[in-house]
Amino acid sequence: MAFSSCSKSDQPTPADQQTMEQQTLDDFVQVVAIPQYAALQAQADTLQQIIQLFVQQPSDALLLQARNQWRQLRQVWEQCEGFLLGPVEDDEYDPRMDTWPVDYVQMDSLLASNQPLNIQTIQQLDLSLRGFHPVEYLLWGKDGNKSAADFTNREKEYLQALVADIVQNTTQLYQSWIPEGGNFAATIQLAGKGSSRYLNRLEALQAIAGAMADICDEVGNSKIAEPYTRRDSLITESPFSHNSMQDFVNNIIGARQVYLCAYGAKDGKGLSDLVALHNVALDNRIRQQFAAAIQALQQVTLPFEQAIYMQRTQLSQAMQALADLEATLSGPLQDYLQQYVKD
């Protein structure tokens, strides 16, 4: 079935429209969401394997490998934040794994105590002492120049427990989407046909579009704006690894993957195709604004912790590009869905 033309002579029929709406929901689940959560789990497993080797035989080479793997895991996670809906929010996987900034004073206090450091005790700690960023602090150190010889036995225990907690969370998050587990996939795919959350396809599509807008707002108005406005490099997302700018880029790439329905080597029907059915100009505008936002972020060449002092113009332009994109996603895109999705 061809959906590309929008001339008066071959306007999409109601059947075309409904087929595209369902295909958009199905492909979001099967092409984007589940494969990304599977990749997240796999990257967490790999990090755990490297950490186990490092703990057994610490070396700077394995430390570098662990740091690189942490970045790989972050890349997938930050892209998954392009669709923060369902179990990741309902069951608080996001704060369990990605609370920041890290309170390294509290971490140092914990390490200096006699409290056991295993996955059970880790899961009882304050959220700022769990997840990706305490791992980042341990792998890089406060000044980013830690060596393998600097690790204490307590730090190794904490590192193992933190990564085990991440593995458990990423596994449970993946399981929550697949049919053999919590099957949140069906909650989306059955929108309007018995879904426990979405009364119709419009609600499900609006939730997906809303998640894309939300991450653009968070990156521009929180992740960048707060450290930028306060000129405070201690409240950035990934300060020890200086990975913050890459985190932001991956957030927007993740949202674009949702819009285009493309992840890895696979693609499907996405919101882009649905919008292009009736409004090619709006689809082009959204595509261009995604490209502009990513390009603006990539114009920041210094680590974010330095850029908030030295590349303020570039950061200001990036925030404006993100604001433009967010406004289109939360305005015209939502209006379009409201106008044309009538199930």
Side-chain angles (χ1 to χ4, degrees):
M1 183 179 296
F3 294 103
S4 58
S5 175
C6 293
S7 66
K8 280 188 175 181
S9 60
D10 56 357
Q11 282 289 314
T13 66
D16 291 341
Q17 173 77 27
Q18 292 170 13
T19 299
M20 181 66 84
E21 292 166 6
Q22 187 61 51
Q23 193 68 51
T24 299
L25 294 176
D26 291 343
D27 286 355
F28 164 69
V29 166
Q30 299 300 335
V31 175
V32 176
I34 289 178
Q36 287 207 59
Y37 282 136
L40 184 71
Q41 180 192 14
Q43 295 290 353
D45 286 344
T46 301
L47 178 61
Q48 185 175 45
Q49 292 165 17
I50 295 169
I51 292 299
Q52 286 172 345
L53 290 173
F54 175 76
V55 168
Q56 291 165 7
Q57 292 187 314
S59 70
D60 287 337
L62 280 172
L63 178 58
L64 177 60
Q65 199 173 337
R67 288 173 175 173
N68 290 338
Q69 184 56 33
W70 181 90
R71 291 184 193 276
Q72 290 294 318
L73 176 60
R74 286 290 295 173
Q75 176 178 320
V76 180
W77 167 253
E78 293 298 298
Q79 292 181 4
C80 287
E81 287 193 326
F83 54 97
L84 286 175
L85 53 84
V88 69
E89 287 204 317
D90 299 344
D91 300 325
E92 299 190 331
Y93 290 107
D94 186 6
R96 283 187 213 165
M97 292 194 287
D98 199 18
T99 290
W100 54 276
V102 161
D103 185 342
Y104 57 81
V105 174
Q106 252 194 304
M107 286 183 62
D108 288 344
S109 176
L110 173 67
L111 288 164
S113 73
N114 294 320
Q115 183 171 342
L117 293 171
N118 53 52
I119 187 170
Q120 289 77 22
T121 56
I122 293 296
Q123 291 174 343
Q124 301 304 313
L125 296 175
D126 185 274
L127 292 173
S128 67
L129 299 177
R130 295 173 62 181
F132 300 121
H133 298 295
V135 172
E136 178 196 7
Y137 175 69
L138 290 173
L139 290 179
W140 272 268
K142 183 181 175 184
D143 299 320
N145 57 1
K146 195 172 182 179
S147 71
D150 295 328
F151 278 77
T152 67
N153 287 336
R154 289 278 290 174
E155 287 176 327
K156 293 174 192 171
E157 290 175 25
Y158 190 20
L159 186 58
Q160 283 184 298
L162 286 167
V163 174
D165 183 40
I166 290 172
V167 168
Q168 186 177 99
N169 279 313
T170 56
T171 301
Q172 291 174 345
L173 179 55
Y174 169 62
Q175 292 286 334
S176 70
W177 275 75
I178 61 176
E180 299 83 358
N183 203 14
F184 188 74
T187 304
I188 292 178
Q189 291 178 282
L190 292 176
K193 297 181 291 186
S195 168
S196 58
R197 179 165 307 192
Y198 303 113
L199 293 177
N200 47 51
R201 290 190 296 276
L202 174 61
E203 286 190 2
L205 291 165
Q206 286 182 316
I208 295 168
M212 295 190 310
D214 287 347
I215 194 61
C216 295
D217 176 65
E218 182 180 349
V219 173
N221 291 323
S222 176
K223 292 185 176 187
I224 295 177
E226 291 181 12
Y228 175 91
T229 303
R230 293 165 60 178
R231 296 177 185 261
D232 187 349
S233 62
L234 298 179
I235 57 172
T236 61
E237 186 166 18
S238 299
F240 311 112
S241 61
H242 292 313
N243 203 59
S244 298
M245 286 306 308
Q246 199 55 47
D247 288 341
F248 308 155
V249 171
N250 279 318
N251 282 155
I252 307 309
I253 288 174
R256 184 171 64 176
Q257 287 171 170
V258 172
Y259 184 69
L260 299 177
C261 192
Y263 177 66
K266 295 185 177 179
D267 59 23
K269 296 298 181 186
L271 284 164
S272 172
D273 299 283
L274 190 59
V275 171
L277 275 181
H278 299 281
N279 193 336
V280 172
L282 176 60
D283 178 49
N284 287 337
R285 178 177 163 192
I286 294 172
R287 287 168 175 261
Q288 289 164 2
Q289 288 184 333
F290 266 120
I294 292 168
Q295 185 177 31
L297 288 167
Q298 291 173 332
Q299 293 303 307
V300 181
T301 55
L302 294 173
F304 182 54
E305 292 72 28
Q306 297 173 20
I308 59 175
Y309 307 108
M310 301 170 66
Q311 289 190 322
R312 295 182 65 80
T313 299
Q314 291 91 327
L315 285 172
S316 177
Q317 291 169 344
M319 285 188 284
Q320 184 58 57
L322 289 164
D324 293 342
L325 173 59
E326 188 278 333
T328 303
L329 296 177
S330 60
L333 176 57
Q334 289 286 353
D335 293 343
Y336 176 92
L337 295 173
Q338 190 75 45
Q339 180 178 356
Y340 289 106
V341 180
K342 298 294 185 184
D343 64 320

